[in-house]
Amino acid sequence: MDARRFVASWSGGKDSCYAVLQARRRGLEPAVLLNVLNEEGRISRSHGIPRPVLEQQARAMGVPLVAFPSSWSEYESRFVGALEQVRLEHGVTHAVFGDIDFEPHREWEEKVCARVGLEPVLPLWKEDRAALVRRMVAEGLEAVIVSCNPHLGPGFLGRTLTAETVADLEAAGADPCGENGEYHTLVVNCPLFAQRLEVGFGARRLHGDYWFLELLPPSGATG
C-alpha cells in the first residue's frame, strides 16, 4: 500500500479542486475522486453538476471517479461505505477535503474518516477567504459560477471567477469565496487537468430558493 495516496471529496468546484492541488504539493497523490449524487444519480448533491461533466473532470485529471446516489437521510452511512470501498480497492490512506473554516464540517469529516481508518487532510483550513480565492484565480483555476443564491441573482451565473468577478461578489455583499453558500462553481480547467472541459451552458433556472445554470455535456456523453 502506498502511504501517499488519497481519496478526494470532490464537488467539481474550486475548493475541492484547489485542495487536491495543494495536497499534491505536500507530496500526496490522488487515487480516486468521490462524489455524492442526488437520489436519481443524475447530478451532484452539492453543486447540481451532471455526472458526465464530473466524469470529464476525472478523465482530464487521469483519476477515477466514484459517484453514488444518496438521499440526505442516508448521506453519512453511504459516504462511510464509499470511503471503506475506496480504501480497500484503491489503497488510500488519506482523505482530502476542501473546507476552509466551518468547524462542524471538519468535525464530521474527522468522524467519518475515523470510522474507516483514514487520515483527513484539509489543505485550505483557516486560509483567509479573500486571499484564497484570489490565489486560485492567479494559479490558473478556471472556475465558472453555476449556482447562486437569490441575492446574487442569475446575472452571476456563467461568469468565470476572475479578479473582477471576485470584486463584484464582494461589492454585492457576498463572501468572495462563497463559503457561506452564496455561490458554487464548476472547474473547467486547472493545472491538474490534461485538457479543458467541453461543456456548454444553457438556461438559468430557479429551483426553490437557488439559481442554477444548466450544464450541457458534449453530445454522446452518458451518465
Side-chain angles (χ1 to χ4, degrees), residues 105-180:
H105 283 186
R106 179 173 191 137
E107 292 172 357
W108 184 85
E109 289 153 3
E110 291 175 344
K111 177 179 69 172
V112 296
C113 284
R115 289 178 60 181
V116 297
L118 294 179
E119 181 178 337
V121 180
L122 287 78
L124 314 184
W125 191 249
K126 294 301 183 182
E127 293 269 6
D128 178 83
R129 296 179 183 182
L132 179 61
V133 69
R134 287 180 168 86
R135 194 160 73 247
M136 293 178 187
V137 170
E139 293 185 14
L141 262 72
E142 185 181 349
V144 178
I145 296 176
V146 294
S147 60
C148 65
N149 65 15
H151 176 74
L152 290 178
F156 274 92
L157 295 178
R159 290 189 61 173
T160 300
L161 277 188
T162 62
E164 180 182 2
T165 301
V166 171
D168 288 345
L169 288 165
E170 290 177 313
D175 178 85
C177 215
E179 187 68 359
N180 302 315

Side-chain angles (χ1 to χ4, degrees), residues 3 14-16 18 46-47 57 65 120 127 131 135 165 170 185 191 196 200 215:
K14 60 179 177 50
D15 296 346
S16 65
Y18 197 62
S46 58
H47 290 35
Q57 290 180 319
L65 173 75
E127 293 269 6
R135 194 160 73 247
T165 301
E170 290 177 313
T185 61
R196 190 177 188 276
L215 302 178

Side-chain angles (χ1 to χ4, degrees), residues 44-119:
S44 63
R45 288 225 69 105
S46 58
H47 290 35
I49 298 173
R51 181 170 186 155
V53 177
L54 296 168
E55 290 170 344
Q56 263 203 84
Q57 290 180 319
R59 287 194 298 272
M61 199 185 302
V63 177
L65 173 75
V66 172
F68 61 93
S70 178
S71 64
W72 286 120
S73 62
E74 297 177 316
Y75 191 100
E76 181 171 318
S77 62
R78 297 294 306 276
F79 196 89
V80 169
L83 287 179
E84 177 70 2
Q85 172 192 339
V86 299
R87 183 186 69 82
L88 294 172
E89 294 181 3
H90 296 272
V92 301
T93 54
H94 297 68
V96 169
F97 301 90
D99 286 286
I100 301 171
D101 55 23
F102 193 46
E103 192 65 43
H105 283 186
R106 179 173 191 137
E107 292 172 357
W108 184 85
E109 289 153 3
E110 291 175 344
K111 177 179 69 172
V112 296
C113 284
R115 289 178 60 181
V116 297
L118 294 179
E119 181 178 337

Side-chain angles (χ1 to χ4, degrees), residues 187-204:
V187 175
V188 297
N189 205 5
C190 71
L192 294 168
F193 290 1
Q195 65 275 336
R196 190 177 188 276
L197 263 61
E198 296 178 21
V199 58
F201 303 110
R204 295 166 169 83

